[in-house]
Amino acid sequence: MKKILSILLICFCFSATTQFTYATNYNLRTTVHHISESDDLDPCQYNFGQRSLVDAVCIDPIAENYFALLDSISPSTEWATSYFNPDADSFQSAWANQFYIDNTICDYIEGCTDVTMFGYNPNATLDDGSCIPYVYGCMEIEYVEYNENVNTSDNSCSTIKVFGCNNVNSFNYDPDANTDDGSCVSSQDEITADLFVAPLNTGSNMTVMISSSSFDSYSGSLIGAFKDIDTDGVSNCVAMYTIQEGNFGFPIWGDDTSTDEIDGIQDGDKVTFAILTEGEVKIISPYPLFNGFQANAIHIVNEYYTPISYSINPGWNMVGYVGSSENNGIVDQMNSALNNGANMEEAFQVIKNVSGQFWSSAFAQINTFTQGEGYMMYLTSEATSLNFQNPSSYQYGIEYPLSSGWNMVSFTGDVDADNGIVSSMDIALENGGTTEETFQVIKNVSGQFWSSAFAQINSFTPGEAYMMYVIGQATTINFQRE
């Protein structure tokens, strides 16, 4: 009996085209009953404890466990001579009775089977819906051109990201930044008298030289520089000095890099300058503009100005754009300039220029401001103020062209400038003409006017715009003309 069983096992395992469940490692696709090409020993592993009299097979040609010998449907190339084909000479009815077809047991390699799609898998036999179209672009996140939706590089990456504040109207604007890092703030934290405290001597500093008599009137008062160095929402005093008449200088203290603690400003950091006089704090903008801290460098100040803030009320306002000539988009500028945190699209019904071209949230003919130009703005929200020149960002040398007829012009001088209509205008006109010869009338949003014959108003308000009727030749105007 033992000898007969041995013969049967050899016979069964030798035929790799038939499945007998005594052999637990049986492979339907095997054609040679050897362990390897050089080893002809029996490769089967046996389990005599259990035997399934009938086994299911898969006859789907794309399945991994496709059993071609029973595929009479396709039919397979093996079917004609199969042991399971009743019409074949090799038909074995005993073997055929041990199998039945059940395609629910078919095994597949799932994936994208569309060769034209991204993610195509040449080994996949069953499409699983994972095919997606090719999207070409820059895939390297450290480049400005990076697009998170791209799945295929087209070598378009070219500009390395430089992080920082790239909003030119923010007090901490970084001209080298090309990628905003969320650090821009529309205004520095409020500078109050109690923040004027002597800063720590960190051993690293930059010198500010004052070469201007315009500070003489504040002799004995304190001048300070402020920056929130520990990002706790409160500005830190990084420079403080008693103002003297004539020329003087003072240090701005930088961070001591030999310690882990941040105790001063970093290279490139901008600061807000302020004067404390008789208990009142006055924010100032030095000229030339302070472009950032640099250890051991010297910054010479020839003048100072006060950033312009202009109050607006519900209804019509005539507002001058005194912000930067760069990054001058209406929506971005207004959202930065609004001091009540309102959303520009919700706060304004319409903004229009002297030609009647307008911006609105529904439709816009204009989308950018022009430096020095005035605009009619209809405010639908509560009264607030606009500051296109956030602290330490006063704009200098704004020049605006005047044409014959009506013009809407901003008064760009600050609160310390000569604001007399005639006196300031005579200096501002480029062609040497006088106010009386150049203008027939100048009027504000309320209709109050100046004329050479009669005047209801005789002074300008910083940041306000005025309708001006030019009767002379075309020229330019610059209220900051030296």
Side-chain angles (χ1 to χ4, degrees):
M1 181 67 180
K2 183 175 181 181
K3 182 176 181 181
I4 295 173
L5 179 60
S6 176
I7 293 172
L8 286 173
L9 289 174
I10 292 172
C11 179
F12 292 162
C13 293
F14 185 82
S15 177
T17 58
T18 310
Q19 180 180 358
F20 291 91
T21 54
Y22 293 127
T24 61
N25 63 335
Y26 172 69
N27 186 344
L28 288 175
R29 296 184 179 274
T30 301
T31 58
V32 179
H33 189 71
H34 291 171
I35 290 178
S36 67
E37 184 177 354
S38 59
D39 187 348
D40 61 358
L41 293 178
D42 182 6
C44 296
Q45 298 173 5
Y46 303 99
N47 180 356
F48 299 103
Q50 295 181 354
R51 177 183 177 186
S52 174
L53 296 179
V54 182
D55 291 302
V57 295
C58 167
I59 61 167
D60 186 343
I62 68 171
E64 284 294 289
N65 57 339
Y66 173 52
F67 190 33
L69 292 174
L70 267 178
D71 184 6
S72 62
I73 298 175
S74 297
S76 68
T77 56
E78 290 95 334
W79 175 250
T81 59
S82 173
Y83 296 112
F84 304 96
N85 184 350
D87 299 325
D89 293 339
S90 58
F91 175 65
Q92 299 289 332
S93 61
W95 294 4
N97 292 333
Q98 296 194 40
F99 300 91
Y100 68 96
I101 296 171
D102 181 3
N103 278 0
T104 62
I105 69 164
C106 295
D107 295 327
Y108 303 95
I109 297 177
E110 297 185 0
C112 173
T113 60
D114 188 341
V115 70
T116 67
M117 289 288 187
F118 178 79
Y120 167 67
N121 183 356
N123 297 316
T125 57
L126 181 66
D127 196 284
D128 62 357
S130 63
C131 297
I132 58 176
Y134 283 96
V135 180
Y136 295 92
C138 174
M139 299 179 66
E140 299 182 52
I141 195 170
E142 63 269 22
Y143 285 84
V144 171
E145 296 81 11
Y146 169 71
N147 182 344
E148 63 179 8
N149 297 315
V150 168
N151 56 37
T152 307
S153 175
D154 62 359
N155 298 317
S156 61
C157 302
S158 61
T159 310
I160 291 288
K161 290 179 179 178
V162 179
F163 291 93
C165 172
N166 61 359
N167 184 340
V168 72
N169 293 293
S170 296
F171 87 94
N172 60 334
Y173 167 66
D174 181 355
D176 295 323
N178 57 30
T179 306
D180 192 274
D181 62 358
S183 65
C184 294
V185 293
S186 60
S187 62
Q188 174 73 316
D189 299 310
E190 183 180 3
I191 308 301
T192 54
D194 61 297
L195 295 180
F196 281 78
V197 294
L200 177 68
N201 182 339
T202 62
S204 173
N205 65 69
M206 174 180 182
T207 301
V208 175
M209 292 293 298
I210 305 296
S211 179
S212 172
S213 59
S214 60
F215 287 86
D216 288 356
S217 61
Y218 291 105
S219 179
S221 299
L222 294 176
I223 184 171
F226 300 87
K227 171 75 175 178
D228 182 7
I229 61 175
D230 50 12
T231 63
D232 63 354
V234 179
S235 293
N236 303 95
C237 185
V238 293
M240 189 175 73
Y241 195 77
T242 301
I243 298 173
Q244 304 171 6
E245 289 188 12
N247 298 341
F248 64 95
F250 60 91
I252 297 180
W253 296 101
D255 180 46
D256 179 0
T257 57
S258 66
T259 66
D260 294 333
E261 181 183 5
I262 298 177
D263 46 19
I265 61 175
Q266 312 285 322
D267 280 352
D269 278 354
K270 294 184 178 181
V271 296
T272 297
F273 289 92
I275 294 174
L276 177 62
T277 180
E278 297 179 352
E280 298 293 327
V281 175
K282 177 183 177 68
I283 303 294
I284 63 170
S285 181
Y287 177 79
L289 190 66
F290 181 82
N291 287 319
F293 178 81
Q294 183 179 353
N296 302 319
I298 299 175
H299 181 75
I300 298 176
V301 176
N302 298 324
E303 186 59 87
Y304 79 85
Y305 297 94
T306 304
I308 296 172
S309 181
Y310 182 67
S311 298
I312 55 176
N313 297 300
W316 284 111
N317 300 265
M318 203 181 301
V319 180
Y321 177 65
V322 293
S324 170
S325 60
E326 303 174 6
N327 191 25
N328 59 344
I330 289 178
V331 174
D332 288 343
Q333 283 288 334
M334 293 296 289
N335 282 335
S336 297
L338 281 166
N339 286 339
N340 62 355
N343 180 284
M344 182 261 183
E345 296 184 351
E346 298 173 350
F348 291 90
Q349 185 179 86
V350 67
I351 294 175
K352 60 181 181 178
N353 63 18
V354 70
S355 302
Q357 294 175 306
F358 68 92
W359 171 95
S360 72
S361 59
F363 176 73
Q365 296 171 301
I366 55 173
N367 288 290
T368 57
F369 286 127
T370 298
Q371 250 190 349
E373 186 171 5
Y375 297 84
M376 294 292 294
M377 301 184 180
Y378 193 89
L379 180 68
T380 56
S381 66
E382 61 184 9
T384 182
S385 62
L386 288 171
N387 185 352
F388 293 111
Q389 301 177 343
N390 293 302
S392 297
S393 297
Y394 183 81
Q395 300 294 310
Y396 312 96
I398 296 176
E399 193 163 275
Y400 184 73
L402 296 175
S403 57
S404 297
W406 284 112
N407 300 262
M408 194 171 352
V409 183
S410 171
F411 178 65
T412 59
D414 73 348
V415 294
D416 297 312
D418 176 10
N419 67 339
I421 289 179
V422 175
S423 58
S424 65
M425 187 67 80
D426 284 348
I427 297 173
L429 287 166
E430 180 189 41
N431 60 2
T434 66
T435 307
E436 295 183 355
E437 295 170 342
T438 305
F439 299 96
Q440 183 182 85
V441 66
I442 296 174
K443 61 179 181 178
N444 64 18
V445 71
S446 301
Q448 295 174 307
F449 67 92
W450 170 95
S451 72
S452 59
F454 176 73
Q456 294 173 299
I457 55 174
N458 287 289
S459 61
F460 291 124
T461 297
E464 186 171 6
Y466 298 83
M467 292 295 294
M468 302 182 182
Y469 193 90
V470 176
I471 54 177
Q473 62 182 349
T475 183
T476 61
I477 191 170
N478 182 352
F479 290 107
Q480 300 150 342
R481 196 184 303 281
E482 297 181 357

